[in-house]
Amino acid sequence: MAVRPLWLRVLTTRAAAILALDVVLFVVFAVQSGGPFASEANIQSLLLSATEALLLAVGLAMLLGAGIFDLSLGANLVLSSVVGAKLMLAVADRTPDGGYRNLSTVVAIGVVGCLVTGMLFGLVNGLLVAYLKINALIATLGTLGIGTGLAYVISGGADVGGLPTEIQSDFGLLTFGAVPVPAVVAVVITAGVFVCVRYTRFGSRTLAIGSSPSAAERVGIRVPRHLLRLAVLAGLLAGIASFIDLSHFISTSLNGHSNDALNAVTAAVIGGTLLEGGKVSVLGAVWGTGLAVILQGGLVIAGVSSYYQLMAVGVVLILAVGVDRFSHLRRART
């Protein structure tokens, strides 16, 4: 059988199809809005919105590649941001004019707090799933509730504000050319995950576990330890997203992440990552994130209620899973 050219194989992938749909949707909303949707300010806003969603989607895609479904990523982000914000306020040495004598220390401790909390959250998920053998859906549903409750307890039920404005001006809203710096950070991290999945032993072991955990065990892969590492990695990405969230709004956002799990799984599955494991499409997750963000942003510009926006994302997710099942059945028949 003749091998198809590389360019043809790339153009016929699920990721390429989602990218084409992203372009079509963007053009449709740009024309419908009469210009505001395609403005530089709105594009930057879309990129900032996509930054956190992309980090969570990539983390979930890695977990799904090994057959683990995580419902707690949004709760992880919220709890990590609360811990990071509280630590910054605890170590802050304020000047009479409202500034900080130890700004670099405050920011560094905030970053470490976000990352460590995210990783510990992931560690708990990994221990429950990999070593205690609790079903991943049940385990992460439980940690979702625990993490959300802890965030409210630590914050007193209100968003934590009063953080250094420099984290917003020097990072959260800083641009590299016309591209927000947080988006650049997310792209660099995503590229690293792509290389990991595609070219490293860690990535191949992830896919092997997702395809058949028992077979992976037989060839010498330490499945529980690998699953634990994946859970900690996903937690780290949630922790990074939490600091980006803090730097964007200069406060926590307790009620702003209830749909993060839905958006992450939508982006990952639309892009071609299999729910059953064994296949990860990092590029697909990128374009899937873009689809969700463009769809929601376009509906906002069009004045559509937020309830309908949520419905639209849900419909897209169901369609994506339906198309995936249809393709799987067709391949099985042939």
Side-chain angles (χ1 to χ4, degrees):
M1 182 181 295
V3 178
R4 294 185 301 169
L6 177 61
W7 64 269
L8 184 58
R9 280 180 284 161
V10 170
L11 289 178
T12 54
T13 60
R14 173 80 71 85
I18 299 304
L19 174 58
L21 184 56
D22 287 346
V23 174
V24 171
L25 267 182
F26 186 88
V27 172
V28 168
F29 284 127
V31 172
Q32 185 273 334
S33 68
F37 187 79
S39 66
E40 181 177 315
N42 188 62
I43 292 174
Q44 289 179 344
S45 177
L46 292 176
L47 289 172
L48 282 173
S49 299
T51 298
E52 297 168 34
L54 176 59
L55 291 172
L56 297 185
V58 168
L60 182 60
M62 290 285 288
L63 291 172
L64 288 175
I68 300 177
F69 198 101
D70 190 346
L71 293 172
S72 66
L73 288 172
N76 189 340
L77 189 159
V78 171
L79 178 60
S80 299
S81 66
V82 168
V83 171
K86 281 291 190 178
L87 286 174
M88 281 193 275
L89 295 179
V91 301
D93 183 10
R94 306 294 293 265
T95 61
D97 62 357
Y100 292 82
R101 295 187 179 90
N102 58 338
L103 178 62
S104 59
T105 302
V106 170
V107 175
I109 289 178
V111 172
V112 171
C114 288
L115 301 188
V116 171
T117 303
M119 293 172 71
L120 288 175
F121 199 119
L123 179 66
V124 171
N125 282 339
L127 290 173
L128 293 175
V129 174
Y131 288 93
L132 296 183
K133 306 300 181 183
I134 299 175
N135 179 275
L137 283 174
I138 301 302
T140 58
L141 183 61
T143 55
L144 181 155
I146 294 170
T148 303
L150 274 175
Y152 276 94
V153 169
I154 295 171
S155 66
D159 282 319
V160 181
L163 303 179
T165 58
E166 288 82 357
I167 65 173
Q168 184 183 67
S169 59
D170 295 342
F171 179 66
L173 298 182
L174 184 66
T175 59
F176 182 74
V179 180
V181 168
V184 175
V185 171
V187 168
V188 171
I189 292 172
T190 301
V193 174
F194 174 81
V195 171
C196 175
V197 171
R198 191 73 178 269
Y199 301 108
T200 70
R201 185 175 298 175
F202 185 89
S204 61
R205 287 177 176 175
T206 299
L207 300 181
I209 293 170
S211 299
S212 175
S214 57
E217 287 272 16
R218 286 196 295 271
V219 298
I221 298 175
R222 298 180 180 178
V223 173
R225 187 173 71 175
H226 191 89
L227 293 179
L228 185 65
R229 289 174 175 174
L230 280 173
V232 172
L233 173 61
L236 173 61
L237 294 177
I240 296 171
S242 73
F243 184 77
I244 290 174
D245 193 62
L246 287 178
S247 67
H248 187 188
F249 299 106
I250 330 178
S251 73
T252 60
S253 181
L254 294 177
N255 299 314
H257 299 280
S258 56
N259 298 322
D260 280 359
L262 172 63
N263 292 335
V265 70
T266 300
V269 173
I270 286 175
T273 297
L274 293 181
L275 286 170
E276 299 85 354
K279 180 182 178 182
V280 175
S281 176
V282 176
L283 275 180
V286 173
W287 308 134
T289 300
L291 178 63
V293 170
I294 290 170
L295 183 61
Q296 290 182 318
L299 293 176
V300 168
I301 294 290
V304 177
S305 166
S306 60
Y307 305 119
Y308 291 104
Q309 297 170 30
L310 187 58
M311 289 170 60
V313 174
V315 168
V316 169
L317 174 59
I318 293 172
L319 287 175
V321 174
V323 169
D324 184 67
R325 295 282 74 78
F326 176 77
S327 300
H328 177 75
L329 290 174
R330 189 176 63 178
R331 287 194 301 268
R333 290 195 187 106
T334 56

